[in-house]
Amino acid sequence: MILNRYFNRIFDHGEYLEKRSLQKDKLRREYEFLTNLPVSIEKFFPEAHGYIDDEDSSSYNIRKIPTPDASYLLLNEDLYSDETVTELLTHVFSFIELQPKKNVSRNDYETSLSKEIIEKNRLRYNELLNLPFFEDLNELSMRIQNLSLAEFTERLNAEILCAVRDEPGTVLSYGHGDLCFSNMLFDGTRLLLIDPKGANSAEDNYRPVHYELAKISQSLFGHYDSINHGFFEITEDSLLIILKRRPVKAQNLFKTSCARFGTDFRTVSLIESSLFLSLIPFHIESKKKVMAFLLNSINIFQRFK
């Protein structure tokens, strides 16, 4: 199953898939990332070719991989096992370790983190203001935590900055930028990654590793894939996940591995909370889904603030 969104469409052409998007600049950044990969991480990505820029949209082709994306390891009873998810995680960590790295000044490090997370959160909040159900989201936030969406965004940003400033790291990694399970293809032995975030320049693909880890945590702990596929209900301002896969071994591995990447689980979880909040403008096709993203963001924040 392929999830199309209002701005993206996937077309099956047999041996390859065509990804077409109304978000032309974003798709161009993806394509340039895929066709200019550092040698150390080339093996983790399928071949891309045939970029076309039309008047209203752009597209590129990618070799079809006969493997469901890794979200189905959590959603499909026949595919799920804690051991398989754990094996997937070891491959993902290998990818992160092989990413090109560069040491920067503490100021440049915090500037990068602010650009990737803090400034993006504020930008996405401004996008929320234009949504037809902004007031419903704002009222939900007020009911649950007595904070408006604007106040919640700034409180979350402040907690993230405080947590990261307690860490000594100044290393940026050349990352994928959207490492949720739905962007991973894993057949048990090989990991391939699709739909990278990309950037306007190769240098802009370097970012703090927190972003990669928080995206993984979205799927591993935050039930992102269950929400994205509709396996949830909302009752009385509470979020009920219908499919509650708990890959305990993989989750424990993730928690203990955060330290080897220079951070901790609490910091990653706070950033994960902000990611759920920032996803809302990209899922406006479903009011129920965006309400679930907000509820999940609040729930994570309240556990780890």
Side-chain angles (χ1 to χ4, degrees):
M1 177 182 177
I2 297 172
L3 282 178
N4 287 308
R5 297 183 188 168
Y6 72 96
F7 53 83
N8 280 343
R9 290 291 182 270
I10 302 294
F11 300 95
D12 191 335
H13 296 291
E15 293 185 0
Y16 65 91
L17 298 174
E18 174 192 352
K19 181 176 181 180
R20 180 169 291 275
S21 180
L22 300 175
Q23 296 186 336
K24 297 171 64 175
D25 289 342
K26 182 177 185 300
L27 204 75
R28 175 186 54 78
R29 292 193 295 269
E30 284 183 25
Y31 183 74
E32 291 182 356
F33 181 95
L34 290 169
T35 53
N36 294 280
L37 288 163
V39 173
S40 63
I41 58 174
E42 277 184 339
K43 67 179 182 179
F44 292 100
F45 293 88
E47 298 173 8
H49 62 91
Y51 180 80
I52 298 175
D53 188 352
D54 292 330
E55 183 176 350
D56 298 321
S57 64
S58 59
S59 66
Y60 67 82
N61 302 320
I62 196 165
R63 180 167 55 88
K64 186 192 293 185
I65 311 297
T67 300
D69 70 64
S71 69
Y72 291 93
L73 297 179
L74 301 175
L75 302 176
N76 188 302
E77 189 73 39
D78 295 330
L79 297 176
Y80 173 79
S81 77
D82 198 357
E83 290 72 22
T84 303
V85 178
T86 303
E87 183 65 21
L88 165 65
L89 196 59
T90 63
H91 281 72
V92 176
F93 285 160
S94 293
F95 164 67
I96 294 175
E97 289 176 337
L98 288 170
Q99 291 172 352
K101 311 284 193 304
K102 67 175 181 178
N103 284 294
V104 297
S105 69
R106 185 67 196 186
N107 182 67
D108 287 347
Y109 181 80
E110 292 191 9
T111 298
S112 178
L113 182 112
S114 180
K115 175 185 175 183
E116 294 293 334
I117 299 169
I118 306 303
E119 292 176 17
K120 186 189 73 172
N121 290 343
R122 291 172 178 153
L123 175 65
R124 296 290 168 79
Y125 171 77
N126 289 332
E127 293 176 6
L128 290 179
L129 290 172
N130 298 317
L131 297 184
F133 35 80
F134 170 80
E135 288 303 328
D136 292 331
L137 292 164
N138 199 52
E139 289 172 7
L140 178 62
S141 181
M142 288 294 297
R143 283 199 306 272
I144 294 177
Q145 55 184 351
N146 200 30
L147 293 173
S148 68
L149 274 179
E151 292 169 330
F152 177 41
T153 300
E154 290 308 313
R155 183 79 61 85
L156 187 50
N157 281 346
E159 291 282 352
I160 291 169
L161 282 174
C162 183
V164 173
R165 283 171 178 164
D166 285 339
E167 300 174 354
T170 58
V171 176
L172 302 181
S173 300
Y174 194 100
H176 176 282
D178 196 8
L179 274 184
C180 55
F181 275 33
S182 57
N183 287 339
M184 304 175 189
L185 305 176
F186 183 62
D187 62 6
T189 59
R190 187 184 182 193
L191 170 67
L192 289 173
L193 304 172
I194 58 174
D195 294 350
K197 183 177 181 180
N200 289 321
S201 70
E203 284 299 301
D204 288 339
N205 285 312
Y206 285 93
R207 52 181 68 92
V209 72
H210 301 73
Y211 201 90
E212 302 279 70
L213 295 173
K215 280 290 184 177
I216 300 167
S217 188
Q218 267 192 318
S219 290
L220 198 57
F221 293 90
H223 301 291
Y224 166 74
D225 304 291
S226 291
I227 297 173
N228 202 30
H229 286 266
F231 297 114
F232 71 96
E233 294 295 339
I234 299 174
T235 58
E236 297 180 354
D237 293 343
S238 294
L239 178 62
L240 172 65
I241 303 298
I242 297 174
L243 292 177
K244 292 188 176 181
R245 307 281 188 237
R246 288 198 69 243
V248 177
K249 184 177 178 181
Q251 289 178 338
N252 289 338
L253 175 61
F254 184 91
K255 289 179 179 179
T256 58
S257 296
C258 286
R260 92 193 215 206
F261 296 112
T263 186
D264 60 37
F265 183 56
R266 176 182 179 273
T267 303
V268 171
S269 297
L270 288 170
I271 296 171
E272 178 193 347
S273 172
S274 80
L275 292 179
F276 275 107
L277 192 61
S278 70
L279 278 171
I280 291 175
F282 293 101
H283 292 268
I284 59 175
E285 72 278 0
S286 169
K287 179 180 177 180
K288 180 182 176 183
K289 186 185 292 186
V290 300
M291 299 297 275
F293 283 150
L294 176 57
L295 280 169
N296 217 24
S297 177
I298 293 170
N299 290 341
I300 295 167
F301 175 70
Q302 290 183 335
R303 285 199 303 272
F304 292 99
K305 66 180 179 180

